[in-house]
Amino acid sequence: MHHTGGPGWQITMDTSGPMLIALYVRDAAGLDSAGHPALCHVAPKIRASDHAHLIGEVGGPAALKTEWEAWWEQLVKAHPEMSPELSPPGFGTFSNSPALRRVLQAHFGAALTWARERRGEYLALEAEREANSNNELLADMVEDRLLEVGRAAKDFSLTIIELPLAEPRAWYLEPDKIIMSQELLAQPELFRSYVQPVVDLLV
């Protein structure tokens, strides 16, 4: 986790274990374009498999998509808390989402392993950024904007959730969250093109 801040403002960058698991489940179940915003595939790519036999009697793919989207919305709202709780093997908190519950039961072990690996990669990436001072770009962007408007920053906080997404881009979630590919910060101009308009809006 990285914090950048000044008088009255704070920007936090971190990844999310529960969201990593959710994205693994989404891609493994072939739920392309599910969720709001509709994020691209994760990297490394997860091979999708057919779940028709598993979820056919509990609403099929349409029910799975609806249930996954409701879960994703909860995760985004609750971040950085984990809500709902992931409690294998029964996943009792998903009793109202029978299709998603079955898919979670089928994939949870693999999803957890995959998420832990990605988390490890993210920690290494963070350490590298600290060493190279790449994180200072965010503070610079806020300072530039403050000079432009000629006043102190309005109080604001911004949360940037970094995930291993295949496309180097960001998705703005109003009012104060961004989901972003964790590779984006390595491309300062592209990073700035996505994040500067949000900073301008908040400052």
Side-chain angles (χ1 to χ4, degrees), residues 17-82:
M19 285 186 186
L20 289 172
I21 288 170
L23 288 174
Y24 182 98
V25 168
R26 180 201 68 173
D27 287 8
L31 293 175
D32 296 342
S33 78
H36 177 75
L39 306 178
C40 63
H41 286 290
V42 295
K45 199 170 189 314
I46 292 154
R47 196 170 59 81
S49 50
D50 185 2
H51 289 72
H53 63 288
L54 187 67
I55 57 174
E57 63 195 48
V58 285
L64 178 62
K65 184 173 192 267
T66 302
E67 291 166 11
W68 187 90
E69 286 178 333
W71 178 31
W72 181 255
E73 195 178 319
Q74 276 182 283
L75 289 175
V76 169
K77 273 195 188 125
H79 179 83
E81 303 302 316
M82 179 156 81

Side-chain angles (χ1 to χ4, degrees), residues 7-141:
W9 66 273
Q10 177 174 296
I11 300 175
T12 304
M13 293 175 79
D14 200 7
T15 192
S16 163
M19 285 186 186
L20 289 172
I21 288 170
L23 288 174
Y24 182 98
V25 168
R26 180 201 68 173
D27 287 8
L31 293 175
D32 296 342
S33 78
H36 177 75
L39 306 178
C40 63
H41 286 290
V42 295
K45 199 170 189 314
I46 292 154
R47 196 170 59 81
S49 50
D50 185 2
H51 289 72
H53 63 288
L54 187 67
I55 57 174
E57 63 195 48
V58 285
L64 178 62
K65 184 173 192 267
T66 302
E67 291 166 11
W68 187 90
E69 286 178 333
W71 178 31
W72 181 255
E73 195 178 319
Q74 276 182 283
L75 289 175
V76 169
K77 273 195 188 125
H79 179 83
E81 303 302 316
M82 179 156 81
S83 175
E85 199 65 42
L86 286 165
S87 48
F91 296 97
T93 48
F94 291 86
S95 56
N96 292 334
S97 305
L100 178 57
R101 189 179 184 179
R102 286 185 177 194
V103 173
L104 269 170
Q105 285 169 327
H107 289 287
F108 187 70
L112 192 60
T113 300
W114 184 87
R116 283 180 177 151
E117 286 168 1
R118 302 295 79 77
R119 179 100 201 166
E121 288 165 5
Y122 183 75
L123 292 173
L125 184 66
E126 275 194 315
E128 191 183 304
R129 286 177 186 167
E130 289 295 332
N132 299 336
S133 304
N134 286 3
N135 288 324
E136 288 169 17
L137 184 56
L138 275 169
D140 292 346
M141 283 163 59

Side-chain angles (χ1 to χ4, degrees), residues 171-184:
W171 293 260
Y172 176 48
L173 311 174
E174 293 185 63
D176 59 355
K177 282 190 181 113
I178 295 175
I179 290 178
M180 182 174 101
S181 162
Q182 65 191 38
E183 300 302 320
L184 190 60

